[in-house]
Every structure is written in C-alpha cells, then in structure tokens.
Amino acid sequence: MVKVLKHLYRSLSFLASQKNRLEEHLYKQIAKKLNRNLAVAFYYMTTYYFESVAVDTLKKIRFPKGNNVNQVQVVNGLLIDENGIPASYELFPGNTNVKYWNQQ
C-alpha cells in the first residue's frame, strides 16, 4: 500500500499540469453518456483547514468557519451541473475573500 501511495503522490504534479485536458476529456465522456447540459450550473465554495500553521502559496491563515483559529486553510470552488456531477474545480489561497468571488 505504501508503494502505491508513493507512486500516486509522485504523479500528482503531472496530473495537476494536465487539469484542463483531463476536465475537457471527462466533460466529453459525461456529455455523451448523460446528455449533460451546463445551461444550469451551481458553484459551491468551501474551505479546508490543516492541523498546521505552515503557510505556503495556497495555505494561508484566515479566520475560518468553526473554531479552527490560527490554522492554515485553502479555499475550494466547485462547479457542478444540474445533476450534481462536478464539471470543474479551482483551489484558491486560504485568505481569498468570498466577496471577491461573488463579483466575478
């Protein structure tokens, strides 16, 4: 199991570099099978916090939901179709203001 996880972790940077191509391919496959229509789509935002205070390009300290004070977090935006099937996602720094997103 550890060996499999090492291979998986090693491949994550490559998969991240192919995100747009993978999403496009999956979109086409799902559209064929389910007649997907993105005329109605929903955007969901949430935060993930870490049991850490180590800040980096994505993990930022911000007062999160709940009592997770002084812990770093990232913000995730998820686009789903009318059936609740994900179409795309984006990760944002943990100190991104939600009001900023609502204006775009």
Side-chain angles (χ1 to χ4, degrees):
M1 181 66 166
V2 172
K3 194 172 189 177
V4 172
L5 284 176
K6 285 182 181 180
H7 289 297
L8 177 65
Y9 288 138
R10 228 186 264 148
S11 66
L12 289 177
S13 61
F14 171 75
L15 291 172
S17 73
Q18 301 297 310
K19 178 183 177 286
N20 291 338
R21 291 180 66 199
L22 289 167
E23 285 180 349
E24 186 177 321
H25 172 76
L26 291 172
Y27 176 84
K28 288 177 183 176
Q29 296 303 309
I30 292 170
K32 276 191 237 176
K33 294 184 184 338
L34 299 179
N35 195 23
R36 176 182 249 178
N37 179 6
L38 283 180
V40 175
F42 303 94
Y43 194 68
Y44 176 73
M45 300 176 323
T46 192
T47 58
Y48 303 109
Y49 78 93
F50 300 85
E51 299 286 337
S52 170
V53 293
V55 175
D56 64 22
T57 56
L58 276 178
K59 294 184 291 186
K60 304 289 184 191
I61 292 180
R62 182 167 188 258
F63 188 77
K65 297 182 270 186
N67 295 321
N68 309 321
V69 179
N70 293 327
Q71 292 173 322
V72 291
Q73 67 180 20
V74 297
V75 178
N76 177 265
L78 178 66
L79 181 71
I80 58 173
D81 66 16
E82 60 189 2
N83 297 311
I85 299 172
S88 183
Y89 77 93
E90 201 67 47
L91 293 176
F92 298 93
N95 60 356
T96 301
N97 190 337
V98 173
K99 290 180 183 179
Y100 168 77
W101 288 12
N102 292 334
Q103 296 172 0
Q104 293 196 358

